Amino acid sequence: MSKILFVVPPYNCWGVQIIGTWPPLQLAYVGTSAEKAGYEARIYDAMNKDRTFDDIRAEIERFQPDVVMAFDYLPVTGAISTATVPAALKALAIAKDVDPEIVTIIGGPLPTFLYADILTDPVNRLDYVVRGEMEETAEELLRVLAEGTSVDNVRGIAFLRDGEVIATPERPHIADLDPVVPAWHLLEWDAYHYNIEPWGRMASILTSRGCMMGCSFCSHRKFWRGTWRGRTPEVVIEEIRELVDVYEVEFITMIDPYPTCDRERWEHLLDLLIAEAMPVKILMETRVEDIIRDADILPKYHAAGVIHLYMGLEASTDEMLASFNKGTDMDMNKRALDLARENDLTTEASFMIGGPDETWESVEKTIEVAIALNPDIAVFPVITPMPFTPIHEEYKDRIRVTDWSQYNLATPIVEPHAMTIDEVNKALARCYMEFYRHKAREVLALPDGFKRRYMLSAFKEMMAGYRDQFTALGITMPMLPDGMLSGSGPN
């Protein structure tokens, strides 16, 4: 039996990883493909188990795989990531150091779009790029590799032959997602947990794939070719039941970019979750428009176990929203947050900063709007022109960082006309300091209960992470009010 090792390389950034560790769902899906192709499969998660490249080398030497595969992966949402690609390529190069006969493969958004750049860089010791949706492509490629036959007829891959980049024809999307299941048994579940009270084991799921929206900073539309496909709600419920009953999962993050696209399907899924009443809490992302659309069924969100609702508000003016092609306006943002608040849903909202036209005045405006809209949690991602998104071309003359490992939504990449990169870092710190200075007293004044404990726990983790980040940059973060950091985590 041939063997394949899936590697999640060591990578850390101070954003989303502060509050939890999420399993590499995409590799779990491809693990099923590998097993269907007859391989013994293993996932080695150096990122979430705090392992090193030396540990990866030791694992490769011990397991002696025929194939090592990595993925363009960051937790929560996969199709905007880029930052882990250098680390993934380094892990694959280590595999070649151990044994040059090991076949190395990478997949994910950036490799899908920039496969030629990756393959022709002599530093990278890469055999194949899996382009687009991976499951069917990976299964066929692995079968062919095990048989020792030609890869030329495998659709959706790219490779070098005699120094020439060969890209086979694009593979159609999987027609029916219901039979596509992750190999949950390959994950070491003790590594995945939510760090926010009431704490617990964490899983990620996809109830759908794709997005047809045109946000200029995001790759979802391009990666999924402007399509959207949903899994049958009954199948999703069976997956959640397995995670709860077999793997003792207590928190699930729906990492779909757009889980609520089909209202009828979405409401049916909510009804099933309510009927099942499983002991699991759900975190999710959706669009402002759908929260407004779902005003009459928002009580079902809460009854179904949704405790954390993320919305990409993204901007502080209608003009900025229009420039991002969001399809929303400030009135809609306020309405969506108000509706969620009225239905006791903890809200997280993002407000991007750091574009070419950023100024200290526009930063203050963003802070003012974030405080006025008053989500429970605010995050301030740095505008990051991923090299395969519309804004990359628009912003290219202001891009000052080309190291993909820094494209993590937390590191300034663009130098505004009126600010320096260093000033963007200081502005980012100011956004967090000012928002949470106002928010802290409100949270401390909440009556004791789930939301107060949840919010205090979240603030403790977030502000500790932010303080470490900004202190490393030479920026002083103030202490929170007395009592904000009281209590301890699960460890």
Side-chain angles (χ1 to χ4, degrees), residues 53-65 68 91-102 125:
F53 286 108
D54 287 340
D55 294 323
I56 291 173
R57 181 185 297 274
E59 178 66 10
I60 294 170
E61 291 173 342
R62 191 193 65 75
F63 188 52
Q64 298 182 0
V68 176
L92 297 177
I94 289 171
K96 287 291 192 183
D97 285 340
V98 173
D99 181 357
E101 296 302 311
I102 291 175
R125 303 175 67 184

mmCIF file of all heavy atoms in Angstrom, residues 53-65 68 91-102 125:
data_model
loop_
_atom_site.group_PDB
_atom_site.id
_atom_site.type_symbol
_atom_site.label_atom_id
_atom_site.label_comp_id
_atom_site.label_asym_id
_atom_site.label_seq_id
_atom_site.Cartn_x
_atom_site.Cartn_y
_atom_site.Cartn_z
ATOM 1 N N PHE A 53 9.758 22.579 11.832
ATOM 2 C CA PHE A 53 10.168 21.929 10.590
ATOM 3 C C PHE A 53 11.044 20.708 10.878
ATOM 4 O O PHE A 53 10.996 19.722 10.133
ATOM 5 C CB PHE A 53 10.898 22.915 9.679
ATOM 6 C CG PHE A 53 9.988 23.918 9.025
ATOM 7 C CD1 PHE A 53 10.000 25.246 9.433
ATOM 8 C CD2 PHE A 53 9.124 23.535 8.020
ATOM 9 C CE1 PHE A 53 9.153 26.168 8.833
ATOM 10 C CE2 PHE A 53 8.268 24.452 7.413
ATOM 11 C CZ PHE A 53 8.292 25.774 7.824
ATOM 12 N N ASP A 54 11.824 20.748 11.952
ATOM 13 C CA ASP A 54 12.599 19.570 12.333
ATOM 14 C C ASP A 54 11.676 18.414 12.705
ATOM 15 O O ASP A 54 11.964 17.244 12.400
ATOM 16 C CB ASP A 54 13.524 19.895 13.508
ATOM 17 C CG ASP A 54 14.706 20.768 13.100
ATOM 18 O OD1 ASP A 54 15.023 20.811 11.891
ATOM 19 O OD2 ASP A 54 15.293 21.412 13.994
ATOM 20 N N ASP A 55 10.564 18.738 13.360
ATOM 21 C CA ASP A 55 9.587 17.693 13.691
ATOM 22 C C ASP A 55 8.967 17.120 12.427
ATOM 23 O O ASP A 55 8.700 15.901 12.349
ATOM 24 C CB ASP A 55 8.491 18.259 14.589
ATOM 25 C CG ASP A 55 9.007 18.670 15.961
ATOM 26 O OD1 ASP A 55 9.881 17.973 16.494
ATOM 27 O OD2 ASP A 55 8.537 19.703 16.475
ATOM 28 N N ILE A 56 8.723 17.974 11.432
ATOM 29 C CA ILE A 56 8.191 17.486 10.156
ATOM 30 C C ILE A 56 9.186 16.530 9.502
ATOM 31 O O ILE A 56 8.813 15.453 9.004
ATOM 32 C CB ILE A 56 7.864 18.662 9.225
ATOM 33 C CG1 ILE A 56 6.663 19.444 9.757
ATOM 34 C CG2 ILE A 56 7.595 18.174 7.798
ATOM 35 C CD1 ILE A 56 6.363 20.714 9.008
ATOM 36 N N ARG A 57 10.453 16.901 9.506
ATOM 37 C CA ARG A 57 11.479 16.014 8.944
ATOM 38 C C ARG A 57 11.479 14.653 9.650
ATOM 39 O O ARG A 57 11.521 13.601 8.998
ATOM 40 C CB ARG A 57 12.856 16.669 9.076
ATOM 41 C CG ARG A 57 14.000 15.841 8.490
ATOM 42 C CD ARG A 57 15.348 16.499 8.757
ATOM 43 N NE ARG A 57 15.436 17.782 8.097
ATOM 44 C CZ ARG A 57 15.827 17.953 6.836
ATOM 45 N NH1 ARG A 57 16.178 16.894 6.103
ATOM 46 N NH2 ARG A 57 15.884 19.164 6.314
ATOM 47 N N ALA A 58 11.415 14.686 10.974
ATOM 48 C CA ALA A 58 11.420 13.440 11.732
ATOM 49 C C ALA A 58 10.199 12.587 11.407
ATOM 50 O O ALA A 58 10.297 11.345 11.303
ATOM 51 C CB ALA A 58 11.485 13.739 13.232
ATOM 52 N N GLU A 59 9.045 13.232 11.232
ATOM 53 C CA GLU A 59 7.833 12.484 10.900
ATOM 54 C C GLU A 59 7.932 11.853 9.514
ATOM 55 O O GLU A 59 7.501 10.709 9.302
ATOM 56 C CB GLU A 59 6.617 13.404 10.987
ATOM 57 C CG GLU A 59 5.285 12.748 10.623
ATOM 58 C CD GLU A 59 4.843 11.660 11.585
ATOM 59 O OE1 GLU A 59 5.459 11.521 12.661
ATOM 60 O OE2 GLU A 59 3.868 10.954 11.260
ATOM 61 N N ILE A 60 8.496 12.575 8.567
ATOM 62 C CA ILE A 60 8.680 12.024 7.223
ATOM 63 C C ILE A 60 9.641 10.843 7.265
ATOM 64 O O ILE A 60 9.399 9.793 6.639
ATOM 65 C CB ILE A 60 9.185 13.121 6.259
ATOM 66 C CG1 ILE A 60 8.108 14.189 6.060
ATOM 67 C CG2 ILE A 60 9.592 12.510 4.911
ATOM 68 C CD1 ILE A 60 8.591 15.431 5.330
ATOM 69 N N GLU A 61 10.716 10.980 8.018
ATOM 70 C CA GLU A 61 11.679 9.873 8.137
ATOM 71 C C GLU A 61 11.039 8.661 8.788
ATOM 72 O O GLU A 61 11.318 7.510 8.409
ATOM 73 C CB GLU A 61 12.890 10.337 8.946
ATOM 74 C CG GLU A 61 13.745 11.370 8.215
ATOM 75 C CD GLU A 61 14.838 11.955 9.081
ATOM 76 O OE1 GLU A 61 14.747 11.839 10.330
ATOM 77 O OE2 GLU A 61 15.783 12.553 8.528
ATOM 78 N N ARG A 62 10.165 8.905 9.746
ATOM 79 C CA ARG A 62 9.533 7.788 10.446
ATOM 80 C C ARG A 62 8.457 7.106 9.607
ATOM 81 O O ARG A 62 8.404 5.884 9.497
ATOM 82 C CB ARG A 62 8.915 8.297 11.761
ATOM 83 C CG ARG A 62 8.455 7.191 12.696
ATOM 84 C CD ARG A 62 7.589 7.732 13.803
ATOM 85 N NE ARG A 62 6.344 8.275 13.267
ATOM 86 C CZ ARG A 62 5.330 7.524 12.841
ATOM 87 N NH1 ARG A 62 5.419 6.204 12.864
ATOM 88 N NH2 ARG A 62 4.244 8.075 12.381
ATOM 89 N N PHE A 63 7.588 7.920 8.995
ATOM 90 C CA PHE A 63 6.447 7.372 8.250
ATOM 91 C C PHE A 63 6.840 6.849 6.871
ATOM 92 O O PHE A 63 6.195 5.952 6.337
ATOM 93 C CB PHE A 63 5.375 8.464 8.127
ATOM 94 C CG PHE A 63 4.075 7.996 7.543
ATOM 95 C CD1 PHE A 63 3.404 6.894 8.050
ATOM 96 C CD2 PHE A 63 3.496 8.684 6.476
ATOM 97 C CE1 PHE A 63 2.186 6.481 7.512
ATOM 98 C CE2 PHE A 63 2.282 8.284 5.927
ATOM 99 C CZ PHE A 63 1.631 7.171 6.453
ATOM 100 N N GLN A 64 7.882 7.404 6.289
ATOM 101 C CA GLN A 64 8.377 7.014 4.967
ATOM 102 C C GLN A 64 7.261 7.031 3.905
ATOM 103 O O GLN A 64 6.974 6.014 3.263
ATOM 104 C CB GLN A 64 9.031 5.632 5.031
ATOM 105 C CG GLN A 64 10.236 5.587 5.953
ATOM 106 C CD GLN A 64 10.922 4.229 5.984
ATOM 107 O OE1 GLN A 64 10.513 3.278 5.311
ATOM 108 N NE2 GLN A 64 11.971 4.122 6.776
ATOM 109 N N PRO A 65 6.659 8.194 3.698
ATOM 110 C CA PRO A 65 5.559 8.261 2.723
ATOM 111 C C PRO A 65 6.070 8.234 1.285
ATOM 112 O O PRO A 65 7.217 8.608 1.003
ATOM 113 C CB PRO A 65 4.929 9.616 3.041
ATOM 114 C CG PRO A 65 6.077 10.442 3.548
ATOM 115 C CD PRO A 65 6.938 9.496 4.324
ATOM 116 N N VAL A 68 3.965 13.405 -0.221
ATOM 117 C CA VAL A 68 3.704 14.408 0.819
ATOM 118 C C VAL A 68 2.928 15.540 0.161
ATOM 119 O O VAL A 68 3.308 16.039 -0.904
ATOM 120 C CB VAL A 68 5.002 14.939 1.451
ATOM 121 C CG1 VAL A 68 4.687 16.055 2.448
ATOM 122 C CG2 VAL A 68 5.760 13.816 2.144
ATOM 123 N N ALA A 91 8.130 22.802 3.760
ATOM 124 C CA ALA A 91 7.885 21.444 4.245
ATOM 125 C C ALA A 91 8.033 20.425 3.118
ATOM 126 O O ALA A 91 8.574 19.327 3.318
ATOM 127 C CB ALA A 91 6.491 21.357 4.868
ATOM 128 N N LEU A 92 7.553 20.770 1.930
ATOM 129 C CA LEU A 92 7.673 19.862 0.787
ATOM 130 C C LEU A 92 9.132 19.714 0.361
ATOM 131 O O LEU A 92 9.558 18.620 -0.050
ATOM 132 C CB LEU A 92 6.819 20.355 -0.371
ATOM 133 C CG LEU A 92 5.310 20.392 -0.100
ATOM 134 C CD1 LEU A 92 4.557 20.964 -1.298
ATOM 135 C CD2 LEU A 92 4.767 19.015 0.254
ATOM 136 N N ALA A 93 9.911 20.792 0.462
ATOM 137 C CA ALA A 93 11.336 20.689 0.151
ATOM 138 C C ALA A 93 12.046 19.770 1.142
ATOM 139 O O ALA A 93 12.966 19.025 0.761
ATOM 140 C CB ALA A 93 11.970 22.085 0.161
ATOM 141 N N ILE A 94 11.643 19.815 2.400
ATOM 142 C CA ILE A 94 12.213 18.903 3.401
ATOM 143 C C ILE A 94 11.934 17.456 3.015
ATOM 144 O O ILE A 94 12.801 16.581 3.160
ATOM 145 C CB ILE A 94 11.646 19.231 4.794
ATOM 146 C CG1 ILE A 94 12.226 20.556 5.287
ATOM 147 C CG2 ILE A 94 11.925 18.108 5.786
ATOM 148 C CD1 ILE A 94 11.580 21.076 6.557
ATOM 149 N N ALA A 95 10.720 17.194 2.510
ATOM 150 C CA ALA A 95 10.404 15.840 2.062
ATOM 151 C C ALA A 95 11.380 15.379 0.985
ATOM 152 O O ALA A 95 11.852 14.230 0.995
ATOM 153 C CB ALA A 95 8.971 15.773 1.557
ATOM 154 N N LYS A 96 11.707 16.259 0.045
ATOM 155 C CA LYS A 96 12.663 15.917 -1.011
ATOM 156 C C LYS A 96 14.070 15.719 -0.439
ATOM 157 O O LYS A 96 14.838 14.896 -0.953
ATOM 158 C CB LYS A 96 12.670 17.012 -2.065
ATOM 159 C CG LYS A 96 11.428 17.049 -2.953
ATOM 160 C CD LYS A 96 11.369 15.850 -3.887
ATOM 161 C CE LYS A 96 10.309 16.034 -4.965
ATOM 162 N NZ LYS A 96 10.186 14.837 -5.836
ATOM 163 N N ASP A 97 14.421 16.468 0.603
ATOM 164 C CA ASP A 97 15.713 16.269 1.255
ATOM 165 C C ASP A 97 15.792 14.879 1.872
ATOM 166 O O ASP A 97 16.834 14.216 1.807
ATOM 167 C CB ASP A 97 15.936 17.324 2.344
ATOM 168 C CG ASP A 97 16.272 18.691 1.781
ATOM 169 O OD1 ASP A 97 16.698 18.773 0.612
ATOM 170 O OD2 ASP A 97 16.108 19.685 2.527
ATOM 171 N N VAL A 98 14.704 14.470 2.492
ATOM 172 C CA VAL A 98 14.679 13.151 3.122
ATOM 173 C C VAL A 98 14.783 12.050 2.074
ATOM 174 O O VAL A 98 15.532 11.092 2.224
ATOM 175 C CB VAL A 98 13.401 12.985 3.969
ATOM 176 C CG1 VAL A 98 13.276 11.553 4.490
ATOM 177 C CG2 VAL A 98 13.404 13.980 5.132
ATOM 178 N N ASP A 99 14.028 12.189 1.000
ATOM 179 C CA ASP A 99 14.029 11.191 -0.070
ATOM 180 C C ASP A 99 13.588 11.867 -1.362
ATOM 181 O O ASP A 99 12.417 12.207 -1.509
ATOM 182 C CB ASP A 99 13.079 10.041 0.280
ATOM 183 C CG ASP A 99 13.051 8.948 -0.793
ATOM 184 O OD1 ASP A 99 13.715 9.106 -1.835
ATOM 185 O OD2 ASP A 99 12.347 7.944 -0.585
ATOM 186 N N PRO A 100 14.502 12.068 -2.311
ATOM 187 C CA PRO A 100 14.135 12.733 -3.573
ATOM 188 C C PRO A 100 13.058 12.009 -4.356
ATOM 189 O O PRO A 100 12.433 12.621 -5.237
ATOM 190 C CB PRO A 100 15.463 12.740 -4.348
ATOM 191 C CG PRO A 100 16.527 12.634 -3.308
ATOM 192 C CD PRO A 100 15.946 11.769 -2.231
ATOM 193 N N GLU A 101 12.774 10.750 -4.034
ATOM 194 C CA GLU A 101 11.739 10.005 -4.745
ATOM 195 C C GLU A 101 10.336 10.296 -4.229
ATOM 196 O O GLU A 101 9.347 9.904 -4.860
ATOM 197 C CB GLU A 101 12.013 8.499 -4.642
ATOM 198 C CG GLU A 101 13.305 8.066 -5.316
ATOM 199 C CD GLU A 101 13.326 8.432 -6.796
ATOM 200 O OE1 GLU A 101 12.337 8.133 -7.493
ATOM 201 O OE2 GLU A 101 14.324 9.034 -7.240
ATOM 202 N N ILE A 102 10.243 10.951 -3.074
ATOM 203 C CA ILE A 102 8.916 11.319 -2.562
ATOM 204 C C ILE A 102 8.275 12.300 -3.538
ATOM 205 O O ILE A 102 8.888 13.276 -3.965
ATOM 206 C CB ILE A 102 9.020 11.951 -1.159
ATOM 207 C CG1 ILE A 102 9.448 10.902 -0.128
ATOM 208 C CG2 ILE A 102 7.678 12.574 -0.744
ATOM 209 C CD1 ILE A 102 9.689 11.479 1.264
ATOM 210 N N ARG A 125 10.745 22.649 -4.499
ATOM 211 C CA ARG A 125 10.985 21.282 -4.980
ATOM 212 C C ARG A 125 9.635 20.578 -5.036
ATOM 213 O O ARG A 125 9.308 19.726 -4.214
ATOM 214 C CB ARG A 125 11.995 20.593 -4.085
ATOM 215 C CG ARG A 125 13.312 21.372 -4.018
ATOM 216 C CD ARG A 125 14.289 20.777 -3.053
ATOM 217 N NE ARG A 125 14.751 19.476 -3.513
ATOM 218 C CZ ARG A 125 15.561 18.678 -2.810
ATOM 219 N NH1 ARG A 125 15.967 19.081 -1.599
ATOM 220 N NH2 ARG A 125 15.936 17.516 -3.278
#
